[in-house]
Amino acid sequence: MPGSAPSLAEQAYASIRDRLVMLEIRPGEPINEDWLSNDLGVGRTPIREALKRLESERLVVAFPRRGTFATDVHISDLAHISEVRRTLEPVATAAAAERATDAERIALTALREDLATTGDPGDNAGLLRKDLGLHRAIYRCVHNPFLEDTLVRYDNLATRIWCVFVPRLSGMAGHVHEHVPLLSAIIDGDADTAAELTREHVAGFERAIRALI
């Protein structure tokens, strides 16, 4: 229900998901349910419910009699992920510009101010976490739970690719700071500019990764 506290399974899902996205659980690594249960302070049932959901999102894969593993990151998936994002994200940011509530615009303004004063440009892990948070905040402003879930899912997969290549990547701070004008467009209700900036942002992500292949 809206406003209700997340269930134990939802809490476990969010925590395990972000560990997988940020590669804190490495691609191909086995998922130790007992360890996660102890680390998160929940029973094995919420862990198993979370893992079933994560399997549907292509973040883990289960094999009979072998167990559950973090999925590998395949660069061959980049084109497919980018195709989905190029199609949906401009639609989403345009909708966010039109539909965001006053409270959400205030929250986005705070995020924009925080981003504009981001400290260490060499903290790529911190920048990636900030990038995830910004995207998820924008997706919430679309007020379409089906589209939001899809966008989060593909942004998670894109971020895993970022994490693989980030040690070799320069200019990560610049990529994240591209959100400043995008946030401004959404805050100002400029749907056309928000959509165009999003198209450029997604294309820039794909170009940056392909330049390293």
Side-chain angles (χ1 to χ4, degrees), residues 36-74:
L36 284 171
S37 178
N38 290 329
D39 188 59
L40 299 178
V42 299
R44 292 187 67 179
T45 297
I47 298 293
R48 287 174 176 171
E49 290 178 13
L51 292 176
K52 286 181 182 178
R53 184 174 172 186
L54 292 164
E55 185 173 17
S56 73
E57 296 178 5
R58 299 178 183 265
L59 291 173
V60 303
V61 59
F63 297 101
R65 295 180 297 278
R66 287 182 55 200
T68 302
F69 299 79
T71 53
D72 289 325
V73 177
H74 298 291

Side-chain angles (χ1 to χ4, degrees), residues 13-191:
Y13 161 78
S15 179
I16 300 168
R17 176 198 63 189
D18 287 352
R19 295 182 190 197
L20 290 160
V21 170
M22 295 299 297
L23 304 192
E24 292 171 6
I25 301 175
R26 303 294 301 176
E29 184 176 332
I31 305 296
N32 187 317
E33 293 183 12
D34 289 333
W35 185 88
L36 284 171
S37 178
N38 290 329
D39 188 59
L40 299 178
V42 299
R44 292 187 67 179
T45 297
I47 298 293
R48 287 174 176 171
E49 290 178 13
L51 292 176
K52 286 181 182 178
R53 184 174 172 186
L54 292 164
E55 185 173 17
S56 73
E57 296 178 5
R58 299 178 183 265
L59 291 173
V60 303
V61 59
F63 297 101
R65 295 180 297 278
R66 287 182 55 200
T68 302
F69 299 79
T71 53
D72 289 325
V73 177
H74 298 291
I75 193 60
S76 58
D77 292 337
L78 176 62
H80 302 306
I81 294 168
S82 295
E83 182 178 23
V84 175
R85 296 183 68 211
R86 282 196 307 271
T87 303
L88 295 183
E89 293 218 17
V91 174
T93 52
E98 295 170 344
R99 300 174 187 171
T101 65
D102 290 343
E104 287 167 340
R105 293 181 202 276
I106 290 170
L108 292 179
T109 300
L111 287 173
R112 181 183 62 185
E113 292 173 355
D114 176 66
L115 184 60
T117 58
T118 295
D120 183 5
D123 179 15
N124 285 331
L127 288 167
L128 281 168
R129 290 186 182 281
K130 194 171 293 257
D131 186 75
L132 273 176
L134 288 166
H135 282 216
R136 291 172 185 175
I138 291 170
Y139 302 155
R140 284 193 292 272
C141 296
V142 178
H143 295 281
N144 179 332
F146 301 99
L147 182 54
E148 180 183 352
D149 286 349
T150 302
L151 292 165
V152 168
R153 175 174 173 172
Y154 282 92
D155 188 54
N156 288 340
L157 296 173
T159 300
R160 295 186 89 215
I161 295 175
W162 264 131
C163 288
V164 168
F165 285 92
V166 79
R168 299 162 49 194
L169 191 66
S170 62
M172 184 66 205
H175 178 83
V176 176
H177 278 82
E178 289 177 5
H179 290 91
V180 171
L182 173 58
L183 288 168
S184 294
I186 295 171
I187 292 162
D188 295 340
D190 187 344

